[in-house]
Amino acid sequence: MSSACADGQLPDDELPGFDDADAFCDALVVERGASEHTVRNYRADLLDYLRWAHRQGFDPLAITHKQLRFYLGELDQARYARSTVNRRLSALRSFFRWLNVTGRIESDPASVLQGPKAAKTLPKVIRAADMARLLSIHGPRELDGTPRDQTPEDMRDLAVLELLYACGARVSEASGLKTADVDLERRQVKVLGKGSKERIIPIHELAVQAMADYASIARPKLLGAKASDRFFVSSRGNPYSTDAIRKMFKRALREAGLDEGLSPHAMRHTFATDMLSGGADLRSVQEMLGHASLSTTQIYTHISAERLRAVHAQAHPRA
């Protein structure tokens, strides 16, 4: 990962501590099953820290908790968002914990640090009418019912979007989905989640139909002479990457005239919110989302309450 820096600074791969950060990122994949997106973010955050330590003349692995506080303070003074500062701190905590566990350092200076309290924000969800517009972009019919010819890419992208909304799968789980783990007869998929934990999630009939059409018609055309164990493949027959899915999602938002600030994770948020609003119990939604803690799932009960209040305010004659 050599990249020459301006102003006479060291290339990234010559920075003190780079080899350890690189080994940590490899461990994230091998030991924790972290996604490409997660590893890329950790790598970027750790490189920023290594560059800062080099500028300050600090040994990045022999740093003190006071010096780390100084680093976080600089981020705050530079008006970085609280969420960004907390993400950087999370990366440092994981890195130094790993350094300590693997015997590279004797004590963990990041363990005593606390980040700024982040403002509580509810996850963004997609309204039913907007979801219909979004799913129609690659569908066999326009919103008004007019038929349209679907390309193989349209059929694939519709199947991806339907899957994300049908079961709340993460983008990395959709990208990594294997053909052997798709059981359309039983209307279910088996996905590999965080920490390499597998879970089986049911999907509804509309998603089943979109995925069946893709599997029988579009996938063979996209593969050509290639073979792949991945269910979703690119136009060249390669695995459909998380980056490609995110770009597809942004294009679909733009074509649907929706907020391009939304991410594919909004499909997961909307799935969870709609399930709870429809009467699903919290434990079942937790299982389908693959949350380790029920408290993580409970945020969606607040969203449901917000939605009920909005409906009440709009519909009640004295509201």
Side-chain angles (χ1 to χ4, degrees):
M1 278 196 61
S2 178
S3 57
C5 299
D7 302 326
Q9 296 182 33
L10 287 178
D12 287 344
D13 58 2
E14 293 181 18
L15 287 167
F18 175 85
D19 290 343
D20 295 283
D22 198 46
F24 167 70
C25 289
D26 288 342
L28 285 175
V29 177
V30 176
E31 298 170 14
R32 303 188 198 177
S35 68
E36 292 177 18
H37 181 66
T38 298
V39 174
R40 186 166 56 247
N41 284 340
Y42 269 88
R43 190 182 297 276
D45 288 342
L46 291 176
L47 281 175
D48 182 84
Y49 163 69
L50 295 181
R51 294 186 198 107
W52 172 84
H54 180 63
R55 289 196 303 270
Q56 298 295 329
F58 295 149
D59 181 340
L61 305 189
I63 204 86
T64 67
H65 69 275
K66 289 184 179 180
Q67 290 167 337
L68 283 179
R69 279 204 186 97
F70 179 48
Y71 170 60
L72 297 175
E74 281 199 359
L75 295 177
D76 186 56
Q77 289 178 2
R79 298 187 179 278
Y80 279 84
R82 289 181 179 180
S83 57
T84 302
V85 177
N86 280 322
R87 194 194 69 218
R88 296 270 178 92
L89 175 56
S90 177
L92 288 172
R93 279 177 177 157
S94 296
F95 180 48
F96 279 101
R97 188 184 308 119
W98 176 82
L99 290 170
N100 185 230
V101 169
T102 56
R104 287 169 167 83
I105 59 175
E106 293 183 2
S107 60
D108 179 358
S111 62
V112 297
L113 296 180
Q114 290 186 338
K117 288 187 177 180
K120 291 186 178 179
T121 56
L122 294 177
K124 292 183 179 179
V125 296
I126 303 173
R127 297 182 306 168
D130 291 341
M131 183 67 78
R133 289 164 63 189
L134 180 62
L135 295 175
S136 73
I137 295 301
H138 295 291
R141 294 180 180 277
E142 305 284 354
L143 264 181
D144 62 5
T146 305
R148 77 142 74 91
D149 291 330
Q150 283 180 293
T151 64
E153 288 82 4
D154 279 327
M155 299 179 80
R156 175 201 61 206
D157 293 342
L158 175 63
V160 171
L161 294 174
E162 286 282 10
L163 173 68
L164 293 177
Y165 181 42
C167 67
R170 301 177 178 92
V171 169
S172 58
E173 294 168 348
S175 173
L177 186 64
K178 295 186 177 180
T179 304
D181 294 331
V182 177
D183 190 340
L184 297 180
E185 287 189 9
R186 294 186 179 182
R187 302 200 310 180
Q188 64 185 32
V189 293
K190 182 169 70 175
V191 299
L192 188 66
K194 289 186 176 181
S196 298
K197 294 179 180 178
E198 291 183 342
R199 68 185 191 280
I200 295 175
I201 327 173
I203 54 176
H204 56 63
E205 190 57 44
L206 288 173
V208 168
Q209 188 59 58
M211 293 173 72
D213 290 344
Y214 159 72
S216 61
I217 301 171
R219 189 173 182 274
K221 293 179 180 177
L222 296 175
L223 276 174
K226 290 186 176 180
S228 177
D229 64 346
R230 296 285 186 91
F231 185 71
F232 292 115
V233 295
S234 71
S235 301
R236 297 183 178 181
N238 300 318
Y240 202 24
S241 70
T242 56
D243 281 347
I245 293 175
R246 288 190 178 91
K247 288 176 182 176
M248 175 273 290
F249 186 76
K250 292 294 183 185
R251 287 195 303 270
L253 288 172
R254 185 163 53 251
E255 291 181 34
L258 303 181
D259 178 10
E260 292 184 44
L262 292 169
S263 74
H265 221 63
M267 303 288 271
R268 181 172 165 86
H269 296 323
T270 307
F271 161 78
T273 306
D274 289 349
M275 289 293 292
L276 289 169
S277 297
D281 65 276
L282 202 59
R283 287 283 182 188
S284 296
V285 176
Q286 177 195 7
E287 188 72 22
M288 286 184 276
L289 291 174
H291 285 160
S293 171
L294 189 64
S295 62
T296 308
T297 317
Q298 283 176 327
I299 189 172
Y300 296 108
T301 62
H302 302 311
I303 299 175
S304 298
E306 288 290 333
R307 181 176 289 187
L308 289 176
R309 277 193 286 273
V311 170
H312 180 275
Q314 183 177 5
H316 197 285
R318 296 180 70 85

